[in-house]
Amino acid sequence: MSKNFDCGIPYTLVFPDINIEGKRVLLQLPDGMKQFALAIANCIRENYKAEPIIHMESIYGACDLQYNQIFNIINPDLIIHIAHSEYPEYLASPLALPSNLRDRVVFVRALSKLDIDENMIEKSLSILDTYNVKNLSIALTAQHTHLYNKILNIIGNNSKYNIIKSNGLSPYYDPGQIIGCDFRTVINKNIDGYIFVGGGEFHPLGLYLSTLKPIAQIDLYSNTVRDFTQIGIKYYKKRLFVISKAMEARHWGVIIGLKTGQYRPSLLNMIIKMLNKKEYVLLTSENMSELNLLSIDNDWFDAFVITSCPRIPIDDLMDYKKPVLTPGEAYMALTGKIDKYIFPW
Amino acid sequence: MSKNFDCGIPYTLVFPDINIEGKRVLLQLPDGMKQFALAIANCIRENYKAEPIIHMESIYGACDLQYNQIFNIINPDLIIHIAHSEYPEYLASPLALPSNLRDRVVFVRALSKLDIDENMIEKSLSILDTYNVKNLSIALTAQHTHLYNKILNIIGNNSKYNIIKSNGLSPYYDPGQIIGCDFRTVINKNIDGYIFVGGGEFHPLGLYLSTLKPIAQIDLYSNTVRDFTQIGIKYYKKRLFVISKAMEARHWGVIIGLKTGQYRPSLLNMIIKMLNKKEYVLLTSENMSELNLLSIDNDWFDAFVITSCPRIPIDDLMDYKKPVLTPGEAYMALTGKIDKYIFPW
């Protein structure tokens, strides 16, 4: 039986039925929830008599458990990983969470206490109307998936729309749930557009680049509804421009990410094979930033491809002075097949 | 027999007699030398038929080999670690480089080709004269230690000064060599002041905080000689102010660094024991920045102590809105013994 905790924060934490009592636990949180780290640590201490250590580093998902450092250095009994879904093995990193460590990582869901109302859904439908969307689907971040049925019921009353339902992808995702690099619960060629529930630009941008379909975003944190489509188009055009620049590149930097769940040797090997008539240098880094890249960049390099997380080139290195591509984008640039944008490889 | 390589860069690289031929090697460089990464990679490829992968991440010393990530994820045959000296085990991190990995890390010296001249030494002596220094010592970074004897000979002609010689600390350090957190080759109560040869503020600041003695800095990169003493005093006063603020702190954050060679469990335990009448929360991170700290910081915290690298509080978090202390500084704040500044614990 899972246990729900309130902890005095705007999320309900759902702890699975794992023995935490008296253990030494490392607490991981997405950056947006780190403000609640101390409250959650106290909550764990009180409810489980456990000894929490708060992980301050940015943790980008279940692909980024940093278990090599953690278990080698401070060696807690458990990692308590809050708010990100477990890493689906089909995403192809063999190192995301090795089986011998599986019992030492606890994935705790964080369900936002914010509710959705009919008015927000109506606003989002009227945004989708401007794109003449009839067949729509609902996409949500992990914090909001418990609202899926409520939204379904509200729209269900309106015969104007045909809802393409999602079954989720057990045990990883709830119906309609998306993560930053995996949108398959809501990918279906019959869908014309999306109602997306979640904050910020990160998730809806991924959804847009994966589908190129209109998106109405309901952001419960800021209590706003907006058309995300134009933002998505802006980024999409920028990506096409970056790819077109990379088509002329002769000298490539191939960057291997040093995050366990982002290591994708099959993609790395594919890219290296495709570069057989070009020159390339292998580069590696756990963290990547413009500064990082600038430190080794010189006239020789014409373009870079990052074989780990597909969000790094798009979210962090979009404005770098040279093209920095995802593997899918590098495939487009190297084959010249630019009619279909490939994401989120 | 070691081999010297030129590689067309302003350093001579001294490769120890280790078999690199045909191997897959990861190349690590300090940030200041990353601009030569591609040249060195080509040099290794040509001379050893080896396959180099360039590590882009900031590498702060032999305390920071990042071997957990590297050997678990890309698993090269060797790490080639350039320009930093091997980690002395007496610095008390049991995890800096485990014996089973010892043969897989090659420490390559990088000797600057820049030479020193008599005029620079005269200038530095006249700076030390203003502090009435008679008994002086020579401190150098690893890139310049081959100049030690030349400097010794030039000053040796001047009977006005008594040079306190350094024997180095074999196999780790050459005579007079200092690193960012270890100055014992030139620590001697009879020394009145130092001629320091090296660039930037990082090394002379460490030397100043360890000794509180006058320092004349010869920077061969910028071809300048300056009195570093006043810069050192400015930082020293700031540190005393930060310590005095922390003396009132009731709620502490104790930060455990997730870098292998910076894990110092004995110091961590000492700090925790000293906090027995205060409240504290354990925090951890591999990388630390103001943003990092801000993300978890709230009204509860009064002060932080970082038990890993003593340079992080001083070089990276000096201007944080709350005191962030080294273990030695936390000892001062918690015991009230502020008459003697403790560095570089």
Side-chain angles (χ1 to χ4, degrees):
Chain A
M1 277 291 290
S2 62
K3 278 189 194 177
N4 288 9
F5 289 115
D6 179 278
C7 301
I9 64 171
Y11 295 87
T12 301
L13 300 183
V14 186
F15 278 74
D17 186 22
I18 286 176
N19 183 15
I20 297 173
E21 208 70 27
K23 302 237 159 120
R24 200 157 162 263
V25 301
L26 183 95
L27 191 59
Q28 294 185 330
L29 296 142
D31 282 350
M33 283 185 70
K34 281 210 172 69
Q35 57 189 305
F36 309 120
L38 198 56
I40 296 172
N42 289 336
C43 201
I44 290 174
R45 196 183 287 114
E46 282 158 24
N47 283 294
Y48 290 111
K49 314 277 171 272
E51 186 196 336
I53 304 168
I54 297 167
H55 199 171
M56 297 196 298
E57 192 105 23
S58 290
I59 308 284
Y60 296 104
C63 57
D64 183 23
L65 294 172
Q66 304 180 28
Y67 61 77
N68 281 314
Q69 300 92 304
I70 291 164
F71 287 125
N72 179 250
I73 299 175
I74 53 177
N75 200 25
D77 297 316
L78 296 171
I79 292 177
I80 296 187
H81 188 88
I82 297 197
H84 294 128
S85 300
E86 191 167 347
Y87 187 90
E89 64 244 354
Y90 61 74
L91 286 181
S93 174
L95 295 173
L97 181 53
S99 54
N100 64 318
L101 295 177
R102 183 62 198 80
D103 290 345
R104 296 179 68 184
V105 180
V106 182
F107 293 92
V108 172
R109 302 201 51 183
L111 306 178
S112 169
K113 293 179 184 167
L114 296 167
D115 202 2
I116 199 162
D117 64 38
E118 221 160 309
N119 183 34
M120 291 174 132
I121 293 171
E122 271 164 29
K123 269 193 197 165
S124 63
L125 288 172
S126 64
I127 288 169
L128 293 181
D129 283 345
T130 65
Y131 297 98
N132 204 24
V133 171
K134 298 295 175 217
N135 301 302
L136 63 83
S137 191
I138 299 154
L140 317 91
T141 58
Q143 282 62 63
H144 303 300
T145 54
H146 55 293
L147 300 175
Y148 185 78
N149 282 325
K150 181 173 180 179
I151 301 169
L152 216 61
N153 290 336
I154 293 172
I155 309 176
N157 298 332
N158 192 330
S159 61
K160 194 169 144 192
Y161 306 101
N162 173 33
I163 301 182
I164 315 263
K165 282 188 197 164
S166 155
N167 293 317
L169 197 50
S170 179
Y172 305 114
Y173 306 128
D174 289 336
Q177 184 185 339
I178 62 171
I179 68 169
C181 64
D182 192 9
F183 306 89
R184 63 193 78 190
T185 60
V186 296
I187 299 282
N188 178 326
K189 65 178 167 37
N190 298 321
I191 295 170
D192 307 326
Y194 295 90
I195 290 179
F196 165 76
V197 184
E201 285 200 353
F202 180 75
H203 289 94
L205 176 57
L207 179 61
Y208 184 81
L209 292 177
S210 299
T211 62
L212 307 180
K213 299 278 168 65
I215 298 170
Q217 177 180 16
I218 300 177
D219 184 337
L220 299 176
Y221 302 105
S222 62
N223 198 26
T224 54
V225 181
R226 68 169 170 178
D227 180 4
F228 188 83
T229 320
Q230 298 308 316
I231 299 170
I233 290 172
K234 190 187 75 183
Y235 276 95
Y236 173 56
K237 285 183 178 167
K238 276 196 186 178
R239 296 317 297 169
L240 293 182
F241 176 66
V242 170
I243 294 164
S244 72
K245 279 208 296 178
M247 291 176 75
E248 297 149 24
R250 290 170 50 228
H251 296 155
W252 287 70
V254 178
I255 304 175
I256 311 167
L258 280 176
K259 289 196 177 283
T260 43
Q262 298 178 4
Y263 181 56
R264 305 188 293 170
S266 51
L267 278 176
L268 172 64
N269 291 332
M270 183 201 78
I271 295 290
I272 288 176
K273 268 188 199 156
M274 296 186 69
L275 286 168
N276 67 345
K277 286 182 185 165
K278 315 258 182 181
E279 287 184 71
Y280 69 90
V281 169
L282 293 178
L283 306 163
T284 192
S285 197
E286 183 174 357
N287 299 289
M288 292 174 211
S289 65
E290 291 217 358
L291 265 180
N292 228 232
L293 216 47
L294 276 172
S295 74
I296 57 92
D297 195 3
N298 63 21
D299 287 348
W300 189 84
F301 290 101
D302 298 320
F304 298 91
V305 50
I306 295 180
T307 63
S308 52
C309 171
R311 300 307 300 257
I312 300 169
I314 293 171
D315 298 77
D316 301 332
L317 295 166
M318 177 81 101
D319 297 320
Y320 193 69
K321 60 182 177 178
K322 297 179 186 175
V324 184
L325 305 185
T326 70
E329 293 171 341
Y331 176 91
M332 293 171 67
L334 290 167
T335 58
K337 294 181 186 166
I338 52 167
D339 51 320
K340 191 180 160 356
Y341 182 64
I342 299 170
F343 187 81
W345 274 17
Chain B
M1 278 290 290
S2 63
K3 278 189 192 175
N4 287 10
F5 289 115
D6 178 279
C7 302
I9 64 170
Y11 295 86
T12 301
L13 300 184
V14 185
F15 278 73
D17 186 23
I18 286 177
N19 183 15
I20 297 173
E21 208 70 26
K23 302 237 159 123
R24 201 159 161 261
V25 300
L26 183 95
L27 190 59
Q28 294 186 329
L29 296 141
D31 282 349
M33 283 186 70
K34 283 210 171 68
Q35 59 188 304
F36 308 119
L38 199 56
I40 296 172
N42 288 336
C43 200
I44 290 174
R45 198 183 287 113
E46 284 159 23
N47 283 293
Y48 290 111
K49 315 277 172 270
E51 187 196 336
I53 305 169
I54 297 168
H55 199 171
M56 297 195 299
E57 191 105 24
S58 291
I59 308 284
Y60 297 104
C63 57
D64 184 22
L65 294 172
Q66 304 180 28
Y67 62 77
N68 282 314
Q69 300 92 304
I70 291 164
F71 286 125
N72 180 249
I73 299 174
I74 52 176
N75 201 24
D77 299 315
L78 295 172
I79 292 176
I80 296 188
H81 188 89
I82 297 197
H84 294 129
S85 300
E86 191 168 346
Y87 187 90
E89 63 243 354
Y90 61 72
L91 285 180
S93 174
L95 296 172
L97 181 52
S99 54
N100 65 318
L101 295 176
R102 183 61 199 81
D103 290 345
R104 295 181 68 184
V105 180
V106 183
F107 292 91
V108 172
R109 302 201 53 184
L111 306 179
S112 169
K113 293 178 184 169
L114 296 167
D115 202 3
I116 199 162
D117 64 38
E118 221 160 310
N119 183 34
M120 290 175 135
I121 293 172
E122 270 164 29
K123 269 194 197 165
S124 64
L125 288 173
S126 65
I127 289 168
L128 293 181
D129 283 346
T130 65
Y131 297 98
N132 203 24
V133 171
K134 298 293 174 218
N135 302 302
L136 63 82
S137 191
I138 300 154
L140 317 91
T141 59
Q143 282 63 62
H144 303 299
T145 54
H146 53 294
L147 301 174
Y148 186 78
N149 281 326
K150 180 172 181 179
I151 302 169
L152 215 61
N153 289 336
I154 294 172
I155 308 177
N157 299 331
N158 191 331
S159 61
K160 194 168 142 192
Y161 306 101
N162 173 33
I163 300 182
I164 315 263
K165 283 188 196 164
S166 156
N167 293 317
L169 197 50
S170 178
Y172 305 113
Y173 306 128
D174 288 337
Q177 184 185 339
I178 61 171
I179 69 168
C181 64
D182 193 9
F183 306 89
R184 65 194 77 191
T185 59
V186 295
I187 298 282
N188 178 326
K189 65 178 165 40
N190 297 321
I191 295 170
D192 307 328
Y194 296 90
I195 290 179
F196 165 76
V197 183
E201 285 200 353
F202 180 75
H203 289 93
L205 176 58
L207 179 61
Y208 183 81
L209 293 177
S210 299
T211 62
L212 307 180
K213 298 278 168 64
I215 298 171
Q217 178 181 14
I218 300 177
D219 184 338
L220 299 177
Y221 303 105
S222 63
N223 196 25
T224 53
V225 181
R226 68 169 170 178
D227 180 4
F228 188 82
T229 321
Q230 297 308 314
I231 300 170
I233 290 172
K234 189 188 75 182
Y235 276 95
Y236 173 56
K237 284 184 178 167
K238 276 197 187 179
R239 296 317 297 171
L240 293 183
F241 176 65
V242 170
I243 294 164
S244 73
K245 278 209 297 179
M247 290 175 76
E248 296 149 26
R250 290 170 50 227
H251 296 154
W252 287 71
V254 178
I255 304 175
I256 310 167
L258 279 176
K259 289 197 177 283
T260 43
Q262 299 179 4
Y263 182 55
R264 305 190 292 170
S266 51
L267 277 176
L268 172 64
N269 292 332
M270 183 202 78
I271 295 290
I272 288 175
K273 267 188 200 158
M274 294 186 71
L275 286 167
N276 67 345
K277 284 182 186 166
K278 315 258 181 182
E279 286 184 72
Y280 69 90
V281 169
L282 293 178
L283 305 163
T284 192
S285 198
E286 184 174 354
N287 299 288
M288 292 174 213
S289 64
E290 291 217 359
L291 265 180
N292 228 233
L293 215 47
L294 276 172
S295 74
I296 57 91
D297 194 3
N298 64 20
D299 287 348
W300 189 84
F301 290 102
D302 299 319
F304 298 91
V305 51
I306 294 179
T307 63
S308 51
C309 171
R311 300 306 301 258
I312 300 170
I314 293 171
D315 297 76
D316 301 331
L317 296 166
M318 177 81 101
D319 296 320
Y320 194 68
K321 59 182 177 177
K322 296 178 186 177
V324 183
L325 306 184
T326 69
E329 292 171 342
Y331 176 91
M332 292 170 68
L334 290 167
T335 57
K337 293 180 187 166
I338 51 167
D339 51 321
K340 189 179 162 354
Y341 182 64
I342 299 170
F343 189 82
W345 272 18

